[in-house]
Amino acid sequence: MLGGVAVHQQVRAWFRESARDLPWRGGCSAWGVLVSEIMLQQTPVVRVQPVWEQWMSRWPTPASFAAESQGEILRAWGRLGYPRRALRVHAAAAMIVEQHDGEVPDTFEALLTLPGIGTYTAAAVAAFAFGRRETVVDTNIRRVHARLVIGQALPAPTLTAAEMKLAADLLPHDPAESVEWNAAVMELGALVCTARSPKCGLCPVRTECAWIAAGQPEPTYMPKGQPWAGTDRQVRGAVMAVLRAADAPIHADLLWASDTELATTAPLAHPAEVATALGKLHDLNTQAPQLERALAGLLADGLAQLSDDGYHLPH
DNA sequence: AATTCGTGGTG
DNA sequence: TCACCAAGAAT
């Protein structure tokens, strides 16, 4: 399989030499690994790390975290994005307390039952927190495999069974080696075999790479973009920023306010940050139906609540 | 299977 | 500048 043990040794040697010193690697609690993995879903390391540090200092155990209010957790989540993840960690912590005596479960199957934990995260926690031999497949590993083994610039648009089989076939038999292999391939994808402008000159296995051997062919499909301007997501994000900044309910009129007077005077009852966040929301010039849709979505997802005094984070 | 769900750095 | 992209999950 792909040059026998040579590729594995080269990648793992590169990892030991070049890996970033991330705080959730080595000696970290399983809870810390779990939190890091959920924060890292679709969010870069550099933005996760400072928030993760604060969380570990503030809530060192699932029980301490489960006892916190959802609103405080959403504020602490800050601008990491996809705030529903914060609520899912909270629900997962509650399940860990209730069903697992406060200890993060140590098997793929048990982890998979927790909210916010899918196949990738369950495998990653089982491997990196408990040393288990798991087939870990994230976007970095998919891309490295696509290039190194298949010879394509990018993996398929969606994860396929063939990719899972390839990853399973490449996984070293020894558990300890498999854990390092998973981390090493992921790190190679993050630092060298990147999506745009890969640093092939620094790659430890460039001489074994099927993509380089094939002359680095272009992607065979158009990566579908992620529209942002004018979307409901943009409005939801702007509303959430207002609610995070507020220490009291925000009256609905403020969210809709387009006239300068209301938008600048009424927020004075709130911290200055609220006025800033409201200004950004109003700058979007959102049409009423879209704002209503965004608010309804936030309520449905439990990210916001509506009382007589207005919208606020959940208690 | 295709959508939805935030945010900010960057080539 | 602006489209692309990031340790995905849920539906």
Side-chain angles (χ1 to χ4, degrees), chain A residues 20-216:
Chain A
R20 292 166 291 181
D21 184 19
L22 300 176
W24 45 83
R25 283 181 182 155
C28 169
S29 70
W31 167 242
V33 173
L34 189 159
V35 170
S36 78
E37 290 297 345
I38 292 184
M39 286 183 171
L40 287 164
Q41 291 167 2
Q42 300 284 282
T43 305
V45 165
V46 289
R47 288 174 48 207
V48 164
Q49 185 165 341
V51 180
W52 183 89
E53 304 272 14
Q54 296 171 213
W55 278 43
M56 288 302 102
S57 169
R58 190 169 176 184
W59 302 298
T61 64
S64 59
F65 184 74
E68 188 57 84
S69 75
Q70 291 184 334
E72 269 311 292
I73 285 162
L74 286 169
R75 281 201 178 84
W77 187 260
R79 305 183 65 78
L80 284 184
Y82 294 153
R84 54 177 54 179
R85 288 182 294 168
L87 298 184
R88 288 177 180 154
V89 187
H90 194 245
M95 282 185 63
I96 290 169
V97 169
E98 294 168 10
Q99 301 180 15
H100 300 279
D101 198 25
E103 300 293 330
V104 175
D106 65 351
T107 66
F108 173 86
E109 289 75 16
L111 287 161
L112 196 57
T113 68
L114 299 176
I117 296 190
T119 54
Y120 161 74
T121 305
V125 173
F128 301 137
F130 298 108
R132 293 191 179 276
R133 182 179 184 275
E134 303 287 347
T135 304
V136 178
V137 179
D138 79 319
T139 186
N140 290 306
I141 291 178
R142 295 183 65 211
R143 187 174 54 251
V144 170
H145 288 172
R147 289 175 182 161
L148 183 62
V149 183
I150 309 298
Q152 296 181 342
L154 295 174
T158 58
L159 179 61
T160 65
E163 287 180 84
M164 288 302 294
K165 174 171 171 32
L166 173 59
D169 289 343
L170 291 173
L171 197 64
H173 181 267
D174 177 73
E177 289 184 18
S178 76
V179 169
E180 187 176 48
W181 168 252
N182 281 325
V185 177
M186 205 178 306
E187 190 78 343
L188 187 64
L191 297 184
V192 175
C193 196
T194 52
R196 288 179 295 178
S197 55
K199 304 169 179 64
C200 297
L202 301 177
C203 182
V205 288
R206 58 186 178 280
T207 61
E208 332 277 340
C209 181
W211 185 50
I212 291 180
Q216 300 188 341

Side-chain angles (χ1 to χ4, degrees), chain A residues 249-253 305-312:
Chain A
I250 298 291
H251 196 280
D253 289 347
Q305 294 179 354
L306 178 58
S307 68
D308 292 342
D309 295 327
Y311 291 92
H312 54 87

Side-chain angles (χ1 to χ4, degrees), chain A residues 208-228:
Chain A
E208 332 277 340
C209 181
W211 185 50
I212 291 180
Q216 300 188 341
E218 296 295 315
T220 57
Y221 71 96
M222 281 283 289
K224 83 183 182 82
Q226 305 176 56
W228 173 246

Side-chain angles (χ1 to χ4, degrees), chain A residues 290-305:
Chain A
Q290 187 176 35
L291 183 52
E292 289 183 31
R293 219 165 41 239
L295 289 169
L298 291 175
L299 294 176
D301 290 342
L303 292 166
Q305 294 179 354

